[in-house]
Amino acid sequence: MFRRRFWVSLVLSVPVIFFSEFIQDVFGYTAPTFPGSVWITPVLSVIVFAYGGVPFLSMARTELKNREPGMMMLISLAITVAFVYSIASLFLEGTTPFFWELVTLIDIMLLGHWMEMRSVRQASGALDELAKLMPDTAERITESGDTEEVPVSELSEDDVVLVRPGASVPADGKVVEGESSVDESMITGESRPVDKEPESEVVAGTVNQDGSLRVRVTKTGDETTLAGIMRLVDEAQKSKSRTQLLADRAAGWLFYIALAVAGITAVTWVAAVGFNIGVLERVVTVLVIACPHALGLAVPLVVAINTSTAAQNGMLIRDRIAMEEARNLDTVMFDKTGTLTKGEQGVVGIQTGDGWDEARALEIAAGVEGDSEHMIARAIRTAAEERGVQRASVSSFENLRGLGVRAVANGDTVHLGGPNLLEKLGIDRSDEFVSFADEAGSNAQTVIYLIRQESEVVAAFALADVIREESRQAIEALHSMGIEVAMLTGDSEDVAKAVAEELGIDQYFAEVLPEEKDTKVEQLQSEGKLVAMVGDGVNDAPALTRADVGIAIGSGTDVAIESGDIILVDNNPVDVVRLIRLSKASYRKMQENLVWATGYNVVALPLAAGILAPIGILLSPAIGAVFMSLSTVIVAINARRLKGVDLTP
């Protein structure tokens, strides 16, 4: 709406400015005259006022009703007085109309608000993205044992549904038949698929992986865990407090100051010279120039440049107020999986037995896991690729459910699996492997063993969720800025403690459920802290919206991105530091611009009122308009300097 009205008003303003007597005098030209040409300026000005000025008048009514005068009332005061006086000047001798000042003021205010509104987007898509996790239909098992496809909304408690590999679980329930692993990272934040067997609980919206499951429904509709998360997101969005903009506060003061100065001007001049047209013009001049163009652009210009600068540095701003709040943050809370860590298993340690080295162990292990898409298999293959190790050729591959895998490599039968496999084969580990496993366990790492000929452990691999190198740099930089760092995770206490100690995190919360992530943020806020939440999963969505500043990792889930105030496109925790630095720099520019914009009034208002009239200095409306334009140019140049700010941590 602001964009459309700006362009229309701008086009109509060009003839108004061109035919203005003051502009003709300044630039030394004479506009052509023809029958009716004298009416071009007033008629087009009336149209610009009616079309471009109406939104400000409408919003000023709200400010007046709330008794909170701000930018809208100040703009409305200026354009209304300029409009009424200019129309009256057409019929009063010895008066000068303010038509060109009127239309340019409306144009620049429309431009400022267009830029401002374009930078603000609400997190309204979060609930839609959550809803997308739920399948539309489910395969319900009939009394005869057949399956029928029904809408999820028709499921009832105690219904049994078939969940095929790759399908989403349609409702909360318990497994009654089948074994599989389920990706619950979207809900719990746990990076590893969770094994499911009869009596295991499953959650709506999670994704079944490699086996079929029959699930008895225990919760449907609004009672499911996912629905609960959706309610939390909705409540957190609604709980956002309204933050007054700096420019609004400045405009509120200027509104009262303008009325006061105008009143003093009227009383003083009437007392001095009596009431006449000159006194009326003096009062009108005060009221019109009290609303500087620069004040309308002081914040929006910085916001627009801030937004583009952020985008160039891998940050997308969806909520301007959150961006402004980032400068005051004293606590940054990170989700662990997929944020501080890569959200995928990686080989972090290798132990080999006599006659074996790491290259040989990886060659065999990568060959055995060559065709598997399991997270552990990918981790081993990645480790081999990073070390330049070729996979061994294998045959007779066999998956041992719940135990590991078996294959033949170089004529030997080899197994790859965890402690359960050792127990199944009755194999004892040597002391070096026991020590390796104990150390890995203390660091919350998973250990996988390579077994030769069903009798000998020849290598062991420690796997863990890989910590991003950027995480260390980000946390060190935040600490150097005096900001505390906290971590949330659905993982176990051991995992959380190991990651927190390695990264130097100030406090952590482990085994946290989705609704608890939301309350942990609220808990820190209740201690008087201004909290930013950085996350990437559905389970982070309520916390992202509850936080003072929600920062979503760009490669995360769509719902997390929709719930975040700011998106880190490059998935780099260091961008959190850049964000805070940019927020501080932008705030400085806003302050500087407001000083320039309001500083104009400090000089212009007294001159317009005639404080120096006794010595022959009186500010005319035309000169006041020139000063107004000069203030706008200074604000624009200062805002552009934000592009050169160094955001390097």
Side-chain angles (χ1 to χ4, degrees):
M1 183 270 287
F2 280 115
R3 181 186 66 224
R4 183 175 62 252
R5 290 179 189 250
F6 165 73
W7 286 116
V8 172
S9 297
L10 180 63
V11 170
L12 295 176
S13 298
V14 171
V16 174
I17 297 171
F18 180 74
F19 281 93
S20 166
E21 292 183 6
F22 174 75
I23 298 298
Q24 292 181 57
D25 292 340
V26 170
F27 291 96
Y29 70 91
T30 301
T33 58
F34 48 85
S37 61
V38 295
W39 292 104
I40 290 177
T41 293
V43 169
L44 292 181
S45 296
V46 169
I47 296 173
V48 170
F49 176 79
Y51 183 69
V54 164
F56 302 112
L57 298 176
S58 177
M59 289 184 283
R61 190 184 309 119
T62 302
E63 289 184 355
L64 182 63
K65 182 179 179 181
N66 295 335
R67 297 181 181 180
E68 294 180 350
M71 181 66 77
M72 296 304 107
M73 285 189 65
L74 186 59
I75 295 172
S76 297
L77 174 67
I79 64 177
T80 301
V81 170
F83 174 74
V84 172
Y85 180 78
S86 296
I87 294 297
S89 71
L90 297 175
F91 308 99
L92 298 175
E93 292 288 338
T95 57
T96 303
F98 289 175
F99 285 125
W100 82 269
E101 294 96 330
L102 168 66
V103 296
T104 54
L105 180 58
I106 290 174
D107 290 343
I108 288 182
M109 291 305 168
L110 285 171
L111 174 62
H113 283 77
W114 167 26
M115 295 171 65
E116 182 179 346
M117 295 301 167
R118 187 178 61 176
S119 69
V120 180
R121 293 177 58 198
Q122 300 297 324
S124 59
L127 298 178
D128 292 335
E129 295 299 329
L130 278 168
K132 289 178 184 177
L133 295 178
M134 286 294 294
D136 296 324
T137 60
E139 291 189 69
R140 183 167 59 190
I141 298 176
T142 64
E143 293 182 0
S144 63
D146 296 328
T147 60
E148 59 177 355
E149 188 172 291
V150 297
V152 170
S153 58
E154 292 186 9
L155 291 178
S156 304
E157 193 172 329
D158 288 332
D159 279 349
V160 177
V161 295
L162 173 65
V163 185
R164 300 181 186 275
S168 296
V169 178
D172 289 5
K174 282 190 176 182
V175 177
V176 293
E177 183 180 331
E179 293 183 354
S180 183
S181 56
V182 175
D183 181 0
E184 296 185 341
S185 60
M186 303 280 283
I187 300 295
T188 66
E190 171 60 58
S191 56
R192 288 171 292 188
V194 180
D195 291 334
K196 299 296 181 181
E197 57 187 18
E199 295 303 311
S200 296
E201 294 186 352
V202 292
V203 178
T206 56
V207 181
N208 186 27
Q209 293 202 319
D210 52 10
S212 294
L213 295 174
R214 292 180 180 237
V215 175
R216 185 176 302 281
V217 176
T218 57
K219 294 178 182 177
T220 60
D222 293 340
E223 297 180 353
T224 63
T225 300
L226 187 60
I229 294 175
M230 293 174 70
R231 281 194 299 273
L232 287 172
V233 171
D234 186 42
E235 291 169 6
Q237 285 178 349
K238 291 178 180 177
S239 72
K240 288 275 190 180
S241 61
R242 179 174 177 267
T243 303
Q244 283 284 358
L245 297 175
L246 286 172
D248 272 343
R249 290 198 292 269
W253 282 105
L254 280 175
F255 176 79
Y256 289 119
I257 291 171
L259 292 179
V261 173
I264 293 171
T265 300
V267 171
T268 303
W269 279 89
V270 169
V273 302
F275 181 79
N276 55 42
I277 292 297
V279 173
L280 179 61
E281 183 177 272
R282 189 62 30 213
V283 173
V284 170
T285 301
V286 168
L287 292 175
V288 171
I289 70 173
C291 180
H293 295 58
L295 188 59
L297 293 179
V299 172
L301 269 179
V302 174
V303 168
I305 295 172
N306 168 291
T307 302
S308 62
T309 301
Q312 291 167 4
N313 286 273
M315 297 172 278
L316 299 180
I317 300 171
R318 300 183 62 249
D319 189 317
R320 181 197 63 243
I321 294 176
M323 182 64 182
E324 293 173 7
E325 286 291 329
R327 66 187 172 84
N328 295 319
L329 290 172
D330 51 33
T331 304
V332 175
M333 179 176 285
F334 288 92
D335 173 58
K336 180 187 77 69
T337 305
T339 305
L340 292 175
T341 66
K342 293 183 178 180
E344 59 187 39
Q345 295 291 303
V347 175
V348 295
I350 302 176
Q351 176 68 47
T352 57
D354 294 339
W356 285 69
D357 57 24
E358 292 187 5
R360 183 183 177 191
L362 277 173
E363 178 188 356
I364 301 298
V368 171
E369 296 284 19
D371 295 328
S372 175
E373 284 304 311
H374 194 279
M375 195 175 295
I376 290 175
R378 290 198 298 269
I380 290 175
R381 291 200 304 272
T382 299
E385 291 169 3
E386 290 175 349
R387 292 167 172 79
V389 175
Q390 297 295 320
R391 304 180 199 171
S393 297
V394 301
S395 60
S396 304
F397 175 86
E398 183 180 357
N399 181 43
L400 307 175
R401 176 170 290 279
L403 298 174
V405 294
R406 175 172 56 200
V408 174
N410 299 333
D412 291 331
T413 299
V414 293
H415 289 71
L416 197 64
N420 290 341
L421 180 61
L422 294 180
E423 184 179 348
K424 179 72 174 178
L425 298 177
I427 298 174
D428 293 326
R429 298 167 295 172
S430 64
D431 292 341
E432 57 188 357
F433 285 116
V434 172
S435 299
F436 178 77
D438 289 344
E439 183 179 353
S442 65
N443 292 322
Q445 297 167 357
T446 300
V447 177
I448 301 298
Y449 299 96
L450 180 64
I451 302 166
R452 176 176 174 271
Q453 297 294 83
E454 300 188 6
S455 61
E456 176 189 9
V457 177
V458 295
F461 305 92
L463 296 98
D465 193 356
V466 182
I467 294 175
R468 299 178 188 277
E469 285 301 320
E470 303 92 340
S471 297
R472 294 180 175 85
Q473 183 185 359
I475 291 171
E476 288 175 3
L478 289 171
H479 283 158
S480 70
M481 298 168 72
I483 297 174
E484 293 184 10
V485 179
M487 182 181 74
L488 284 172
T489 179
D491 282 347
S492 66
E493 174 76 18
D494 288 341
V495 172
K497 183 178 180 181
V499 173
E501 289 179 350
E502 184 169 350
L503 292 176
I505 291 172
D506 299 301
Q507 62 177 318
Y508 65 88
F509 304 95
E511 301 176 3
V512 181
L513 298 175
E515 60 270 22
E516 292 173 337
K517 289 193 175 185
D518 177 54
T519 56
K520 294 300 182 186
V521 172
E522 195 173 20
Q523 175 185 324
L524 292 179
Q525 290 173 325
S526 68
E527 297 172 5
K529 296 180 178 179
L530 196 71
V531 182
M533 172 66 192
V534 187
D536 73 331
V538 173
N539 58 303
D540 302 323
L544 285 169
T545 48
R546 178 74 66 185
D548 298 286
V549 180
I551 305 172
I553 293 293
S555 65
T557 62
D558 289 340
V559 67
I561 292 174
E562 286 296 324
S563 300
D565 302 314
I566 297 154
I567 317 303
L568 303 186
V569 178
D570 296 332
N571 206 358
N572 186 350
V574 175
D575 283 341
V576 175
V577 181
R578 296 191 180 98
L579 164 68
I580 296 172
R581 290 175 64 88
L582 180 58
S583 176
K584 291 178 182 291
S586 299
Y587 184 71
R588 284 196 301 272
K589 289 300 176 189
M590 288 181 189
Q591 287 182 309
E592 292 166 2
N593 277 1
L594 288 174
V595 169
W596 278 111
T598 55
Y600 152 84
N601 288 77
V602 172
V603 175
L605 279 178
L607 290 178
I611 193 171
L612 298 181
I615 62 174
I617 298 177
L618 197 61
L619 183 68
S620 69
I623 298 301
V626 172
F627 283 169
M628 186 185 293
S629 300
L630 181 61
S631 176
T632 304
V633 171
I634 293 173
V635 163
I637 293 173
N638 187 52
R640 287 193 64 81
R641 292 178 61 213
L642 183 62
K643 287 180 174 292
V645 171
D646 183 11
L647 303 180
T648 305

